[in-house]
Amino acid sequence: MPKGTHDAIEDRRNEDVLIYVNGEFLPRNEAKISVFDSGYLVGDGVWEGIRLHHGKLVFIEKHLDRLWQSAKVIGINLPFSRKELMETIFETLRKNDMHDGVHLRVMVTRGIKKTPSQDPRLTISGPNLVIIAEHKIASSETKKRGITLFTSSFRRGSPDYLDPRLNCHSKLHEVQALIQAIEAGADEALMLDIHGFVATCNSTNFFMIKDGEVWTSTGQYCMNGITRGNVIAVCEANGIVCRQKNFSLFDIYGADEAFVTGTFGGLTPVIKIDGKSVGDGQSGDLTQKISDLYEALIVQETK
């Protein structure tokens, strides 16, 4: 089992989940999409990861805002309304008798191509919509132990060729970074921006703590994660200084604490970076306090 922020408690119910594929609900091993799908051929699509907590979709409006903006950025005209997508998501949950502790992946691709090609004019269908809902709870062992990072040589790019804020299917860049980290013996990858400042991780956002201040990147060269934004907000609301700024490996090697954020795992402590212990090598008090504040926000949002 991989050890990282997507480490989940095994749940055998997932073997029998029904997957939504363009209006049909199919058993997991029968849920298929054409090999001519734009997402399969060239990574042409957008997606969102969403949590279900006590029957409610956490921060759903923010997720829908990002999905619609991402689709607009790459020129996909979504053939359904926000209300219709919500109804489809909840129907997927009802079909699977899901009420809590669920993670959903909503994926939209440009559609089926006439022939393998990048050219969107060769798309012969409307967009494909797939929704995968799984019983999925983050491993408490991972949160307690923390994760290790390795700084990848693969950089987060400039927004003039693939904006890092775009939540698209084209994730090969991040996969390469993660492979490099795994081969170096770490759990996940830390990635720098084009100027050499710390940007983000391969699938989560990075935060460090120094002298009681929380630092994260400017947001120009990373996915502006919804959990990232909520952590910044809860810090500001509770008198914790949180700075969005440029900082380098020099700074993080001297950090007192560090953590990463993501929709699935929430806050996960970072205990080692490039073989160097962060602080005393375990989750710190301020990280735990911010994690508690974030979980309280989820409770408040899902009342």
Side-chain angles (χ1 to χ4, degrees):
M1 171 66 72
K3 297 300 181 184
T5 54
H6 289 84
D7 186 12
I9 299 171
E10 185 176 357
D11 195 319
R12 297 186 66 86
R13 290 177 296 175
N14 289 325
E15 296 175 8
D16 300 315
V17 295
L18 296 175
I19 310 298
Y20 176 89
V21 182
N22 291 331
E24 295 184 273
F25 291 94
L26 303 170
R28 187 185 190 103
N29 63 352
E30 297 177 20
K32 297 177 175 64
I33 201 84
S34 170
V35 294
F36 288 93
D37 174 69
S38 298
Y40 177 76
L41 289 175
V42 291
D44 186 2
V46 293
W47 62 276
E48 283 295 319
I50 305 166
R51 285 177 62 190
L52 180 76
H53 182 76
H54 295 324
K56 294 188 178 181
L57 299 170
V58 183
F59 310 120
I60 184 60
E61 293 302 324
K62 292 180 180 179
H63 282 288
L64 294 181
D65 286 345
R66 188 168 66 183
L67 180 66
W68 254 259
Q69 180 173 358
S70 295
K72 184 176 182 180
V73 166
I74 67 172
I76 293 179
N77 184 24
L78 298 177
F80 44 77
S81 66
R82 290 165 72 112
K83 180 181 178 182
E84 288 170 334
L85 178 58
M86 287 281 288
E87 289 172 350
T88 302
I89 290 172
F90 277 112
E91 181 62 16
T92 303
L93 295 169
R94 283 192 293 271
K95 290 281 187 181
N96 288 293
D97 193 26
M98 292 173 162
H99 309 282
D100 189 29
V102 173
H103 185 263
L104 299 102
R105 174 71 68 96
V106 177
M107 297 171 284
V108 183
T109 67
R110 194 175 302 277
I112 304 300
K113 291 286 182 63
K114 180 179 180 180
T115 186
S117 171
Q118 295 179 2
D119 195 334
R121 294 169 296 184
L122 294 173
T123 307
I124 58 175
S125 77
N128 287 318
L129 172 63
V130 175
I131 301 172
I132 300 174
E134 294 181 303
H135 301 279
K136 205 169 181 182
I137 298 174
S139 168
S140 58
E141 179 187 343
T142 299
K143 280 183 171 288
K144 181 178 180 180
R145 183 190 69 247
I147 64 168
T148 61
L149 301 178
F150 172 80
T151 304
S152 172
S153 62
F154 292 98
R155 303 257 179 131
R156 283 287 176 150
S158 170
D160 59 353
Y161 61 89
L162 182 61
D163 197 311
R165 296 172 296 173
L166 179 63
N167 204 20
C168 64
H169 280 211
S170 302
K171 295 293 182 184
L172 186 57
H173 194 62
E174 291 86 342
V175 172
Q176 288 177 290
L178 178 56
I179 290 172
Q180 198 175 48
I182 293 170
E183 289 176 343
D187 297 316
E188 296 189 4
L190 184 69
M191 300 179 74
L192 308 181
D193 66 24
I194 60 174
H195 305 293
F197 295 114
V198 174
T200 188
C201 295
N202 59 279
S203 66
T204 54
N205 289 123
F206 179 82
F207 290 75
M208 62 163 278
I209 298 171
K210 182 68 174 178
D211 298 331
E213 290 188 356
V214 179
W215 295 1
T216 192
S217 70
T218 64
Q220 293 176 300
Y221 298 96
C222 72
M223 168 62 64
N224 286 190
I226 289 165
T227 308
R228 174 185 185 271
N230 284 323
V231 164
I232 293 170
V234 297
C235 284
E236 292 174 347
N238 289 275
I240 301 169
V241 175
C242 185
R243 304 190 188 280
Q244 298 177 66
K245 57 180 286 184
N246 286 323
F247 56 94
S248 70
L249 292 174
F250 176 89
D251 299 297
I252 66 170
Y253 291 158
D256 300 322
E257 303 175 40
F259 60 89
V260 296
T261 61
T263 294
F264 175 63
L267 274 70
T268 304
V270 175
I271 58 171
K272 188 177 288 187
I273 301 172
D274 297 337
K276 300 173 176 63
S277 292
V278 178
D280 61 4
Q282 58 186 354
S283 179
D285 293 340
L286 188 50
T287 296
Q288 186 60 55
K289 178 179 179 179
I290 297 169
S291 182
D292 291 343
L293 290 170
Y294 172 71
E295 293 300 327
L297 177 63
I298 290 177
V299 172
Q300 179 183 336
E301 290 288 316
T302 55
K303 283 182 179 178

